[in-house]
Amino acid sequence: MSKTGKVFSWLGGVVMVVAVALVVLIATFDWNRLKPAINEKVSAELQRPFAIRGDLGVAWTRNKDEGGWRAWVPWPHIHAEDIVLGNPAAIPGEHMVTLQRVDASIAPLALLGKQLSIPRIWLKQPNARLQRLANGENNWTFHLANSDSDPQAAASDWSVNIHDIVFDRGQLDYKDAVLKADFRAQIDPLGKPLPFSEVTGKKQQGEAVTPDYVFGWKVQGRYNGEPLSGSGKIGGMLSLQNAQLPFPLQADVRSGSTRVVVAGTLSDPLKLAGLDVQLKFSGDSLGNLYPLTGVLLPNTPPYATDGHLTAKLHDKGGAVYQYQNFAGKIGDSDIHGDLRYVASKPRPKLTGEVVSKQLRFADLAPLIGADTNAEKANRGEKTRQPSDRVLPVERFDSNSWDVMDADVRFSARRIEHGNSLPLSDLSTHLKLDNGVLLMDPLRFGVAGGNLNSTVRLDGSKKPMQGRVDMHARKFQLKQLLPNVESMKRSLGELNGDAKLRGSGNSVAALLGSSSGDLRLLINDGVISRSLMEILGLNVGNYLVAQIFGDDEVGINCAAADVEVRNGVAAPRLFVFDTENAIINITGNANFASERMDLSINPESKGMRVLTLRSPLYVRGTFKNPDAGVKPGPLIARGAAAVALGVVVAPAAALLALVSPSDGGDENQCGQILRQMKGKNNGAQGAGDNSRQW
C-alpha cells in the first residue's frame, strides 16, 4: 500500500471511530442533563414558568414508511414527560397547561434543508386552564422576550412543518370574569372518523373536500351567570394546521333558555378567518342573545330560526357576519329575511330586511312591555306590571342602545288579530344611531285606512326623550267596528292626528310627562248600549243608557281637540253631535297617576226631551273607572251650544281632518265645524255679548 493510501485509510478509520463514538454518545447520552437549560431558556423566552419535570429522552429507530436507502436512516424519537406551562405573574393559579407525555419523531434528512419536519406529535392527557380577569388581562396572550428585537436579525431560514397532532383525551377549563363564564370542556377521539356529509347532510363538491370529524367534545358550566351545557364534533389536528382545508365543526349548546345549533366549516382555523355554517337558534326572547352574541335585539316571545351564517372574520372594516335566507317563528308569527352584522368602528352595525307573512299582533306586546306578567317571568324579567295600572311600566334598557347601530326594514303582510282590532298590515324602517332609535315610517293598515307614524326615542339622554307624530286617515267605521250590525251600513270615517313629546324610560313614564295635542273626528256613526257591550266598556254602557236609554242613536259628528301638558290631558273641545242631543265633555285625564275626572253635559235637540236633568261624571282610575250622576246642579240649558260657540282654534284645526266621503260629498263634521267657526266669528263681532249666544 502506498503512503497516500495509508493516509486515507487512517483518516477513514478515524472518521469511522468518531462516527461510532458519536452514535454511541447520542444513544447513551442522558438527555435529562439538558432539562435545566431547556427549562430556563423557554421560561425566559415565554416570560412565564416552563418545566419538563419528568424524563426527557431520545430513541433512534428506523421509519418503516420510508423506502429505499432512506429506510436505513435512523430517526430520532423524542419523548418528554410531565410538562407544565405556568401563568404570567398577573394571573392567579399555578399552571396554564399540563401534559402527561409528549412524543415526536423528527425527519433527519429534512434537517439538511433547514426544515424541522415532524410527521406526528402524540400528546397524552393535555389539560389547559384559560383565564381572563375583570381588567381584561388573560393567560393565553404571550409576550415573547425577543418580540421587540430587530425583525431582520430575528429572522431565520429554518421552517417548521408539523403534519399531525393526536391525543388520547383533552380537557379545557375556562374562567372569564368579563363574560361571567366558568366551564369545562372535554375532548375525546371519536374512535372512527365521521364523514362531514353524514353530519351536515350536504354532499361534497369542488376541490376543497372537507375532512372528516375526528374528535367529540362536551362542555358543562356557566356562561354569563346562566347554566351552560353542550356537545359537538370537530375535525382532526391535521386539518387544523392546513389553511387551505375547511375545518369541520358541529355544536349543540344551551345557555339558560337559549339553544344554538351549528354545523359547517371554519376556514383557516388557526387564524379564525371565516365561518360557513347552518345556524339554528331558539330561546325565550331575542333580547337574551345580547350577552352571547353582542347583537342588541328587542324582547320578544319565544323564538326559533334556521338559516345560513357566513362570516369574514378579518375584513378590513371589521368582521362581517351574514345570516341569509333564515326562516322561523317569533311567538306564533313567522319571520323570514336576511341580516348583515359588521363589527365596525366606532360601533357595530346591523342591517337587513325581515318579513312576516302572518304576524300575530300580540307578539308585538313585549316590545313595549305590554305582555302579561306570566310572559315576562318566562323571559326571566324581574319587572312586573302592577295590578292597578294600565300603561306599561317595563323600562326600556336604553343604556345599551349605544353599543351598536342598526338599519333594518320590517314588514308584516298580514296581521292576525281579534275582531276588536282590525289591523291588516304593518311596515316600518327602524334606525338606531348612537343611542337614538327612529322608526320612520311606522305604518299600520287599519280598517281600510292607514295609521302613519314617526317615533323617535333618544336613549342617549337621561331620562330618555321621546317624540311621536301620528296621523290616522280614512278608518272606515264599518270595518273598525265589524260586530256592530248597524255600523255595517255606515259610510263614516275616523280621522285623527297626535303629536306628543315626553321623557322617561317606559311607556307609562313617557305619557306621564308628555305634552302635545290630540285631535279626532268621527262622522256618520252610531252609538248604543249594544255597541258599548261589544267593546266591553261598562262605563260607556252606563252613560249611553243614562243619555239615550236603550235606543240606537246616529252620530252626525264627534270632534275632539285635546291639549296635553305635563301628562295631563284636558279637552279644548270634546263634543258628540247626535240625532237627538249634543254632548259636551270637559275635565281632565292624568297619565302619570292614571286618574280621570270628566263631566258629561248633554243637551236635547228639538222636541225630544231627555229624562236626564243633571250632568254625569266619570272618575277614578283608568283601570277601574266609576260613572254616575252629579248630585245637585242641573244641566244649564244652552251650555253645550255655548261651549261650541266660543271655540275658534279647535274648529279651525279640526277642519284639516275632514275628508270627503265615498260619494264625493263633504261629511257632516265639515258642515258643523264651519258653522261653529262662522258663529264664533259673528259672536266675536258682538263684543262681550258673544258669551250670551
Side-chain angles (χ1 to χ4, degrees):
M1 181 180 293
S2 66
K3 186 177 181 179
T4 303
K6 290 180 180 181
V7 171
F8 278 106
S9 297
W10 181 82
L11 288 175
V14 171
V15 171
M16 182 67 69
V17 170
V18 171
V20 171
L22 184 61
V23 170
V24 172
L25 175 64
I26 294 175
T28 61
F29 180 75
D30 186 3
W31 295 92
N32 289 298
R33 294 181 182 181
L34 298 179
K35 287 196 302 184
I38 294 174
N39 293 343
E40 182 180 354
K41 178 64 176 177
V42 176
S43 297
E45 182 65 24
L46 299 181
Q47 300 190 64
R48 63 178 69 191
F50 172 84
I52 301 174
R53 301 189 301 191
D55 184 50
L56 173 63
V58 178
W60 294 81
T61 59
R62 289 188 300 169
N63 189 348
K64 297 179 180 179
D65 294 332
E66 292 286 330
W69 63 269
R70 294 174 183 268
W72 294 94
V73 178
W75 285 41
H77 181 81
I78 303 170
H79 74 268
E81 297 179 348
D82 193 8
I83 301 172
V84 295
L85 175 64
N87 286 316
I91 304 295
E94 186 177 357
H95 305 308
M96 174 187 171
V97 176
T98 62
L99 281 168
Q100 195 173 103
R101 183 181 171 101
V102 177
D103 288 88
S105 295
I106 299 176
L109 296 179
L111 297 175
L112 300 176
K114 292 186 177 182
Q115 183 184 70
L116 181 61
S117 177
I118 304 175
R120 177 170 292 178
I121 295 178
W122 291 267
L123 306 178
K124 187 174 182 180
Q125 294 189 7
N127 293 328
R129 298 177 179 89
L130 304 183
Q131 294 185 64
R132 181 163 63 170
L133 306 181
N135 61 7
E137 290 190 57
N138 63 69
N139 67 346
W140 60 80
T141 300
F142 288 84
H143 303 284
L144 303 181
N146 295 322
S147 59
D148 297 328
S149 61
D150 184 2
Q152 291 182 352
S156 173
D157 294 333
W158 284 82
S159 63
V160 179
N161 186 6
I162 302 174
H163 293 270
D164 197 8
I165 301 175
V166 296
F167 56 88
D168 54 351
R169 183 173 191 178
Q171 180 173 293
L172 172 67
D173 292 299
Y174 184 79
K175 289 187 178 182
D176 193 325
V178 177
L179 299 177
K180 299 179 182 177
D182 186 355
F183 59 79
R184 169 173 291 180
Q186 290 186 336
I187 306 173
D188 293 282
L190 292 175
K192 180 182 179 181
L194 185 63
F196 177 78
S197 59
E198 287 191 17
V199 177
T200 62
K202 295 182 179 179
K203 294 183 178 180
Q204 304 264 9
Q205 293 182 350
E207 296 181 0
V209 177
T210 304
D212 297 336
Y213 292 97
V214 176
F215 294 99
W217 58 269
K218 292 182 180 180
V219 65
Q220 196 77 30
R222 300 187 73 82
Y223 184 89
N224 195 41
E226 295 284 349
L228 174 71
S229 63
S231 61
K233 303 174 186 65
I234 57 174
M237 304 305 292
L238 177 60
S239 56
L240 185 66
Q241 298 286 326
N242 193 337
Q244 304 305 316
L245 285 177
F247 181 76
L249 60 91
Q250 182 267 333
D252 186 346
V253 179
R254 296 176 184 265
S255 177
S257 63
T258 303
R259 182 184 182 187
V260 180
V261 179
V262 299
T265 60
L266 177 66
S267 58
D268 197 359
L270 290 184
K271 295 182 180 179
L272 295 178
L275 279 171
D276 186 346
V277 299
Q278 193 69 20
L279 170 64
K280 300 178 182 180
F281 60 97
S282 58
D284 288 340
S285 171
L286 284 173
N288 295 338
L289 287 176
Y290 175 64
L292 291 170
T293 64
V295 181
L296 186 66
L297 296 170
N299 287 329
T300 65
Y303 69 92
T305 72
D306 184 357
H308 182 205
L309 176 68
T310 58
K312 297 178 181 178
L313 301 177
H314 297 295
D315 199 77
K316 282 186 177 181
V320 179
Y321 300 84
Q322 295 193 88
Y323 193 39
Q324 299 172 308
N325 298 319
F326 68 83
K329 300 193 75 174
I330 297 179
D332 293 323
S333 306
D334 69 286
I335 55 169
H336 311 266
D338 297 279
L339 291 173
R340 187 172 188 264
Y341 180 83
V342 181
S344 53
K345 299 293 183 181
R347 292 173 302 279
K349 187 169 185 178
L350 179 70
T351 59
E353 184 171 0
V354 180
V355 176
S356 176
K357 297 178 182 177
Q358 181 161 308
L359 172 70
R360 181 172 173 263
F361 189 73
D363 292 332
L364 297 177
L367 299 179
I368 60 172
D371 50 338
T372 66
N373 286 339
E375 290 169 331
K376 296 179 195 294
N378 288 337
R379 294 201 308 271
E381 296 178 12
K382 297 180 180 179
T383 304
R384 297 292 183 269
Q385 181 72 16
S387 58
D388 60 342
R389 306 282 285 189
V390 173
L391 301 177
V393 302
E394 184 176 331
R395 292 176 59 85
F396 297 106
D397 186 14
S398 59
N399 292 329
S400 58
W401 286 7
D402 60 353
V403 300
M404 61 170 272
D405 294 339
D407 188 338
V408 178
R409 295 180 183 274
F410 174 74
S411 60
R413 297 172 184 171
R414 182 177 180 274
I415 296 180
E416 179 185 330
H417 52 77
N419 291 333
S420 60
L421 195 64
L423 302 175
S424 57
D425 58 280
L426 159 67
S427 63
T428 187
H429 185 186
L430 182 149
K431 293 183 179 180
L432 181 63
D433 184 9
N434 198 20
V436 179
L437 178 66
L438 177 67
M439 288 183 283
D440 183 20
L442 173 59
R443 190 197 70 81
F444 287 92
V446 184
N450 292 299
L451 177 62
N452 293 295
S453 308
T454 298
V455 179
R456 186 178 188 273
L457 300 174
D458 189 349
S460 66
K461 302 291 177 55
K462 309 299 179 197
M464 183 176 70
Q465 306 291 309
R467 187 171 70 232
V468 61
D469 188 356
M470 304 176 66
H471 304 279
R473 292 294 182 270
K474 294 185 176 294
F475 289 12
Q476 304 300 309
L477 295 182
K478 60 184 176 183
Q479 297 183 38
L480 194 63
L481 302 168
N483 290 332
V484 181
E485 186 64 31
S486 57
M487 197 71 79
K488 294 179 181 179
R489 302 186 299 272
S490 172
L491 298 178
E493 293 179 351
L494 180 151
N495 294 283
D497 287 332
K499 291 186 178 182
L500 294 172
R501 62 184 183 279
S503 61
N505 282 73
S506 67
V507 173
L510 286 167
L511 288 175
S513 62
S514 61
S515 295
D517 299 284
L518 304 170
R519 296 186 176 94
L520 182 72
L521 279 184
I522 299 176
N523 68 281
D524 297 328
V526 295
I527 190 168
S528 65
R529 290 186 64 181
S530 62
L531 172 62
M532 297 298 104
E533 290 172 357
I534 290 172
L535 297 179
L537 301 177
N538 294 329
V539 169
N541 192 342
Y542 171 83
L543 296 175
V544 171
Q546 290 291 321
I547 298 172
F548 303 114
D550 292 332
D551 293 339
E552 189 176 85
V553 178
I555 299 175
N556 299 321
C557 178
D561 189 318
V562 180
E563 179 185 35
V564 182
R565 291 293 177 268
N566 299 319
V568 179
R572 302 184 185 99
L573 172 70
F574 198 166
V575 175
F576 285 82
D577 185 294
T578 71
E579 292 176 342
N580 55 12
I582 296 176
I583 304 164
N584 187 45
I585 300 174
T586 58
N588 63 74
N590 190 317
F591 291 117
S593 62
E594 293 197 13
R595 301 192 68 85
M596 60 182 132
D597 187 358
L598 302 175
S599 295
I600 294 93
N601 296 281
E603 180 186 3
S604 64
K605 288 182 177 181
M607 299 301 296
R608 299 191 64 174
V609 180
L610 300 177
T611 58
L612 181 65
R613 301 303 305 276
S614 294
L616 300 173
Y617 68 80
V618 177
R619 297 171 184 155
T621 66
F622 293 177
K623 186 79 171 182
N624 298 298
D626 176 49
V629 179
K630 287 188 176 182
L634 299 176
I635 295 176
R637 184 168 181 79
V642 171
L644 293 177
V646 299
V647 177
V648 183
L654 287 167
L655 276 170
L657 298 179
V658 176
S659 60
S661 65
D662 292 341
D665 298 326
E666 187 177 73
N667 62 53
Q668 294 191 55
C669 279
Q671 301 171 17
I672 293 171
L673 290 173
R674 293 185 193 283
Q675 290 175 8
M676 288 166 55
K677 185 177 180 182
K679 289 181 180 179
N680 187 68
N681 291 338
Q684 285 180 330
D688 292 339
N689 292 333
S690 65
R691 295 188 179 276
Q692 301 299 320
W693 182 86

